[in-house]
Amino acid sequence: MAESAAPLLAALEAIVGAANLLTADADVAPYVTDWRNRYHGRARAVVRPGTTAEVAAIVRCCAEHAVPIVPQGGNTGLCGGATPGAGGHEVVVSLTRLNRVRAVDATNATLTVEAGATLASVQQAAGDAGLLFPLSLAAEGSCAIGGNLATNAGGTAVLRFGNARELVLGLEVVLADGRVWEGLRRLRKDNTGYDLKQLFLGSEGTLGIITAAVLKLFPRPRSSATAFAALATVDGAVALLAVLRQALGDRLTGFELISTECIALTRNKFPALPDPVPGHPWYALVQADDSSADSPLAAQLESALGEAIERGVASDAAVARSEAQAADLWALREHIPEAQRLTGGNIKHDISLPVSAIPAFLAEAQAELDAAFPGMRYVTFGHLGDGNLHYNLSPPAGTTVAAASERADRIVYDLVARFGGSFSAEHGIGQLKRAELTRYKPAVEIELMRQIKRAFDPHGLLNPGKIL
Amino acid sequence: MAESAAPLLAALEAIVGAANLLTADADVAPYVTDWRNRYHGRARAVVRPGTTAEVAAIVRCCAEHAVPIVPQGGNTGLCGGATPGAGGHEVVVSLTRLNRVRAVDATNATLTVEAGATLASVQQAAGDAGLLFPLSLAAEGSCAIGGNLATNAGGTAVLRFGNARELVLGLEVVLADGRVWEGLRRLRKDNTGYDLKQLFLGSEGTLGIITAAVLKLFPRPRSSATAFAALATVDGAVALLAVLRQALGDRLTGFELISTECIALTRNKFPALPDPVPGHPWYALVQADDSSADSPLAAQLESALGEAIERGVASDAAVARSEAQAADLWALREHIPEAQRLTGGNIKHDISLPVSAIPAFLAEAQAELDAAFPGMRYVTFGHLGDGNLHYNLSPPAGTTVAAASERADRIVYDLVARFGGSFSAEHGIGQLKRAELTRYKPAVEIELMRQIKRAFDPHGLLNPGKIL
């Protein structure tokens, strides 16, 4: 910090031009605060490269000056993984200008895109080629595909298509010393040594900066069906999932659990949203898609739900009769987080469990939390098909989120660990969950991670203070 | 080597018992020669542990004595990856006694199994639970699941289900120093740091010894349809693949390209096998599966094929009318390698390419090989849906395989590299393709692999001389 910043800034300006080097506080501000307004960092500068060569030059330059780098995409992360620390000595590398679709190969069903492209623009490019890129999540209009890959994003289509990791065939990565690993393969099979791309995927910019990727595309759905099933218990929801998986196979693309409390909360803030099957404790929002235009999908879904009701697995169900009805059902699901935010503070948990453990987990968690915080309210929803719950708690009147968080987190995460689950299913670690990582991961595993970090970034210049 | 083997052997015997420590030449012989009888190694001993704790103790013991280890499953690999070197100082750790199914969780659709279980026994355990484990390949009766994972096996269902890597949720691994990484997670989403299991998958025992795994299960198919389509060109096969993917979506589970030469060669040695649509230059064996029992799958496949013929994409097609007919079509495909072996020596290439590049690759490869070896015969088949060809060459009369191999390999692999393909799609590197790795991989990539190897196995004790 004693060293003058001038030579570094001059060198960076020579790489990206004055217009793409931001140093004034007002210009830098949007890049140093996270999406949830939880982390407020400082940065020596923000650089906005437009090519992979510029990214590489920036990294070499920062390495020469021993200045740490924070890679950033759309800055929509939920764990502070793209926000610089408070020291003010880091350089933020914003990749949003590096956003070209380099190639679409419809025959190979692949798309090559640069890291800064928004997820929505990737979906659009796939659609323009008559194909589907299935990754989908709330921030898709502003999040960058590079950030999706660096955090191994999840979203609403994981049940069929897997997490972001499973949608990648190749990567181009700028390494910690500024060299470029050219791994943009377009192959579905390639057993030639260690699968390096897997290390960069989900490493939150701590091992290298992803600058481009080859993504898998899929046939576009041409028939869809959406239903809302009512259930007496979470066990019923788990059983219904199994029934529908067998009946629909891979055409079951979404299975979202929603508690009755979520519906009440959401319709309280958004009264125009539907209440499709009132009066039941649990619901499942079911989505099915088929690439065939003349698929009997809706009839099959309806028949499977009818059978489930007959057998007592589900209590009732409503099948959307139009695209507008289907969109309303999804809007109900998607407005839960916003309704909860408008209702008041809450303690969020992005957890995963073996699907078979979810009913027992929910029962035990509620018992322990009720004992610790009488009057606690539970806003439970999530991707049941993936074992991923957004288990959000609203503390009782008179108890602040700040006062309750630490104890509630410990109850929830300890129980998650006991049931073989994860304290971060799809949002990652960033700054937010570093302490949980140390607490819940086996020591051997953390040591292996540190060895990898040392091997790839021996001087600790890439996104310091994140994950490890 | 000057050191006496006695203390090591006594220590190993104390771990596994005398019955599971093999040192006599006749006992050791089956473990030191590979499946294709191409590599003939020597070993100080073969140890057969029955538990993970025994594997860990063996590794600690070998590490103390600075003795390298060759992990081995069913010993069915095709690249010599499980065969010890010629020096005679290595210990083979055979995992076939470590073969229990530890748990089946039908609700979570997961199975936890030890590394030495055969692939067939894993398929059976999944079937017993009413579910499917989709990995399937010729050696499934004798290959071990641990070897399948250590080599990231491919097989016939990759089009829908991916390679072995994509079927794994968790691993238990004995590290180079004998510590055990307990990573047997049963979660479909878990974003808590680097995904370590990905490093062990496909690393051929050079980074750790996989002792158990959690595998993903799927709904069992209850409707199936199989067809044999005739095509004028490889372009036609690529176009038919796109038509069927759109029509059937994920229910298209197999799409195997077969040249007319393959049919002639195979029926010459196995005359009882069918010739379903005689007289066309190329064929595609098409498999479709649906988890629903009353699916109109066969009608949909027939209709899609009919449309493809009308549009001139395919020339003709035969749909199997019975399970026996379907089995005969698959037998035709599966007997190609054996028929070729019985016909004479051949030069094998397990390559992959972007699907869109396959027609041009085949044309150019044949032109170059014809020029170099007039009279060369081409036995081309493989998993077209994955871009994976088994591109096997029978040299012309008067030219031996030994004489032609080096030049033919160079022509094929140089061209594969030019088209952005891989010189090893599903069989791995082992001993066989180490030189190709150095030749075709970017230097940066090899350096990163070496850094990982050094971090995980600093003394080079795990499967030396393989991959790197």
Side-chain angles (χ1 to χ4, degrees):
Chain A
M1 286 302 287
E3 185 210 350
S4 160
L8 170 74
L9 296 180
L12 292 174
E13 185 176 320
I15 296 166
V16 293
N20 293 306
L21 177 70
L22 314 179
T23 53
D25 282 354
D27 296 339
V28 167
Y31 298 88
V32 297
T33 296
D34 77 313
W35 177 260
R36 290 170 71 182
N37 200 24
R38 191 192 288 239
Y39 294 100
H40 305 91
R42 291 172 55 226
R44 195 178 289 203
V46 175
V47 272
R48 295 164 25 89
T51 65
T52 299
E54 287 182 7
V55 177
I58 290 165
V59 172
R60 279 195 305 272
C61 174
C62 287
E64 274 163 28
H65 290 82
V67 168
I69 291 165
V70 180
Q72 188 179 94
N75 194 19
T76 61
L78 298 174
C79 298
T83 313
H89 57 295
E90 297 167 355
V91 165
V92 173
V93 178
S94 168
L95 296 155
T96 51
R97 288 183 61 234
L98 190 69
N99 63 357
R100 286 181 314 135
V101 174
R102 289 193 193 163
V104 180
D105 181 345
T107 304
N108 195 45
T110 51
L111 184 154
T112 308
V113 65
E114 294 176 343
T118 63
L119 174 51
S121 72
V122 175
Q123 294 166 342
Q124 182 64 46
D128 290 347
L131 293 164
L132 171 76
F133 181 64
L135 187 68
S136 176
L137 42 89
E140 60 198 26
S142 44
C143 64
I145 187 69
N148 297 147
L149 303 185
T151 58
N152 186 29
T156 54
V158 174
L159 181 60
R160 158 58 191 105
F161 295 101
N163 298 286
R165 176 186 303 282
E166 294 175 67
L167 303 174
V168 180
L169 293 179
L171 290 181
E172 176 189 270
V173 179
V174 174
L175 304 173
D177 58 6
R179 286 183 302 169
V180 179
W181 173 50
E182 306 275 6
L184 283 179
R185 296 178 190 132
R186 299 184 293 140
L187 305 171
R188 281 176 175 72
K189 282 183 171 173
D190 179 22
N191 274 345
T192 51
Y194 310 154
D195 192 357
L196 294 181
K197 69 174 177 292
Q198 304 290 351
L199 273 179
F200 299 108
L201 295 164
S203 69
E204 304 188 24
T206 63
L207 300 178
I209 302 177
I210 295 171
T211 49
V214 177
L215 305 173
K216 289 188 209 172
L217 304 181
F218 295 84
R220 200 168 46 178
R222 297 194 177 174
S223 309
S224 292
T226 308
F228 211 74
L231 303 144
T233 62
V234 178
D235 284 289
V238 169
L240 180 63
L241 173 66
V243 167
L244 294 180
R245 279 196 94 192
Q246 186 67 54
L248 301 175
D250 294 316
R251 290 172 297 168
L252 181 66
T253 54
F255 193 99
E256 300 281 309
L257 181 73
I258 303 174
S259 72
T260 198
E261 291 82 2
C262 294
I263 311 273
L265 178 90
T266 306
R267 295 191 68 247
N268 184 39
K269 294 295 171 191
F270 301 99
L273 289 172
D275 188 8
V277 196
H280 298 270
W282 292 98
Y283 298 95
L285 172 59
V286 178
Q287 178 70 26
D289 295 291
D290 192 319
S291 63
S292 167
D294 55 353
S295 161
L297 188 64
Q300 288 174 317
L301 174 57
E302 200 151 351
S303 147
L305 287 169
E307 202 188 305
I309 293 167
E310 245 172 60
R311 286 170 46 196
V313 170
S315 307
D316 199 353
V319 177
R321 296 289 161 210
S322 65
E323 280 185 33
Q325 278 188 9
D328 275 354
L329 293 177
W330 274 102
L332 181 62
R333 159 67 180 84
E334 281 157 3
H335 279 76
I336 299 170
E338 179 65 3
Q340 194 175 19
R341 197 185 64 78
L342 294 171
T343 306
N346 62 86
I347 309 168
K348 292 185 192 302
H349 302 103
D350 165 44
I351 56 177
S352 68
L353 295 146
V355 173
S356 49
I358 284 178
F361 165 81
L362 285 175
E364 287 202 34
Q366 184 157 349
E368 286 191 33
L369 288 162
D370 279 347
F373 302 96
M376 181 75 94
R377 283 162 300 149
Y378 302 87
V379 180
T380 305
F381 61 101
H383 319 293
L384 188 74
D386 320 319
N388 179 193
L389 296 178
H390 297 299
Y391 187 66
N392 295 350
L393 310 172
S394 296
T399 305
T400 63
V401 164
S405 275
E406 197 175 324
R407 190 166 168 208
D409 284 356
R410 201 54 52 226
I411 289 172
V412 171
Y413 293 145
D414 280 358
L415 206 55
V416 164
R418 186 142 64 75
F419 278 95
S422 168
F423 59 87
S424 190
E426 58 179 8
H427 297 168
I429 302 298
Q431 306 179 49
L432 182 65
K433 293 191 174 175
R434 286 177 72 195
E436 310 298 353
L437 190 84
T438 314
R439 182 186 287 265
Y440 293 109
K441 283 272 175 186
V444 170
E445 187 163 342
I446 290 177
E447 194 185 316
L448 291 175
M449 286 190 206
R450 291 216 170 102
Q451 283 170 359
I452 292 167
K453 173 70 175 174
R454 272 196 298 273
F456 278 65
D457 180 21
H459 306 298
L461 295 178
L462 291 175
N463 218 5
K466 314 298 162 55
I467 300 185
L468 290 169
Chain B
M1 286 299 289
E3 185 209 350
S4 160
L8 170 74
L9 296 181
L12 292 174
E13 184 176 319
I15 296 165
V16 293
N20 293 307
L21 177 70
L22 314 179
T23 53
D25 282 353
D27 296 338
V28 167
Y31 299 88
V32 296
T33 296
D34 78 312
W35 176 261
R36 288 171 73 183
N37 200 25
R38 190 193 287 241
Y39 295 100
H40 306 91
R42 291 171 57 225
R44 198 178 285 203
V46 175
V47 272
R48 297 164 24 89
T51 64
T52 300
E54 288 182 7
V55 177
I58 290 165
V59 172
R60 279 195 303 274
C61 175
C62 287
E64 275 162 27
H65 290 82
V67 168
I69 292 165
V70 180
Q72 187 178 94
N75 194 20
T76 60
L78 299 175
C79 297
T83 313
H89 58 293
E90 298 167 356
V91 166
V92 173
V93 178
S94 167
L95 295 155
T96 52
R97 289 182 61 234
L98 190 70
N99 63 358
R100 287 180 314 135
V101 174
R102 289 193 192 163
V104 180
D105 181 345
T107 303
N108 196 44
T110 51
L111 185 154
T112 308
V113 66
E114 293 176 344
T118 63
L119 174 52
S121 73
V122 175
Q123 294 165 342
Q124 182 65 46
D128 291 347
L131 293 165
L132 170 76
F133 181 63
L135 187 69
S136 176
L137 42 90
E140 61 197 26
S142 44
C143 65
I145 188 69
N148 297 147
L149 302 185
T151 58
N152 185 30
T156 54
V158 174
L159 181 60
R160 158 58 191 105
F161 295 102
N163 298 285
R165 175 186 305 281
E166 294 176 66
L167 303 173
V168 180
L169 293 179
L171 290 181
E172 176 188 89
V173 178
V174 174
L175 304 172
D177 59 5
R179 287 183 303 170
V180 179
W181 173 50
E182 306 276 7
L184 283 178
R185 293 172 195 140
R186 300 184 291 139
L187 305 172
R188 281 176 175 73
K189 281 185 175 174
D190 180 21
N191 274 346
T192 51
Y194 310 153
D195 193 356
L196 293 179
K197 68 174 178 295
Q198 303 290 353
L199 272 180
F200 299 108
L201 295 165
S203 69
E204 304 188 25
T206 63
L207 300 178
I209 303 177
I210 295 170
T211 50
V214 177
L215 305 174
K216 290 187 206 170
L217 304 180
F218 295 82
R220 200 169 46 180
R222 297 193 178 175
S223 308
S224 292
T226 308
F228 211 74
L231 302 143
T233 62
V234 179
D235 284 288
V238 169
L240 181 63
L241 172 66
V243 168
L244 294 180
R245 280 196 93 191
Q246 185 67 54
L248 302 174
D250 294 317
R251 289 172 298 169
L252 180 67
T253 55
F255 193 96
E256 301 281 310
L257 181 73
I258 303 174
S259 73
T260 200
E261 291 82 1
C262 293
I263 311 272
L265 178 91
T266 306
R267 295 190 69 246
N268 184 39
K269 294 296 172 189
F270 301 100
L273 288 172
D275 188 7
V277 196
H280 298 271
W282 292 97
Y283 298 95
L285 173 58
V286 178
Q287 178 70 27
D289 296 292
D290 192 319
S291 63
S292 167
D294 55 353
S295 161
L297 188 64
Q300 287 174 317
L301 174 58
E302 201 151 349
S303 146
L305 287 170
E307 201 188 306
I309 293 168
E310 245 172 62
R311 285 172 44 199
V313 169
S315 309
D316 199 354
V319 177
R321 296 291 160 206
S322 65
E323 280 184 32
Q325 277 187 10
D328 275 354
L329 293 177
W330 274 100
L332 181 63
R333 159 67 180 84
E334 280 157 3
H335 279 76
I336 299 169
E338 179 65 2
Q340 193 176 20
R341 196 185 64 78
L342 294 170
T343 306
N346 62 85
I347 309 168
K348 292 185 193 300
H349 302 105
D350 165 43
I351 56 177
S352 68
L353 295 146
V355 174
S356 48
I358 285 179
F361 165 81
L362 285 175
E364 286 202 35
Q366 184 156 347
E368 287 192 30
L369 288 162
D370 279 348
F373 302 98
M376 181 75 95
R377 282 160 302 150
Y378 301 87
V379 180
T380 304
F381 62 101
H383 319 294
L384 187 73
D386 320 319
N388 178 194
L389 296 178
H390 297 299
Y391 187 65
N392 296 349
L393 309 172
S394 295
T399 305
T400 64
V401 165
S405 276
E406 199 176 322
R407 190 167 168 207
D409 284 357
R410 202 53 53 225
I411 290 172
V412 171
Y413 293 144
D414 280 357
L415 207 54
V416 164
R418 185 141 64 77
F419 278 96
S422 168
F423 60 88
S424 191
E426 59 178 8
H427 297 167
I429 303 296
Q431 305 179 48
L432 182 64
K433 294 192 175 175
R434 285 177 72 195
E436 311 299 353
L437 191 83
T438 314
R439 181 186 288 266
Y440 293 110
K441 284 270 176 186
V444 170
E445 186 162 344
I446 291 178
E447 194 185 315
L448 290 175
M449 287 191 205
R450 291 217 170 102
Q451 283 171 356
I452 292 167
K453 173 70 175 174
R454 273 196 298 272
F456 278 66
D457 180 21
H459 306 298
L461 295 177
L462 290 175
N463 217 7
K466 314 297 162 55
I467 299 185
L468 290 169

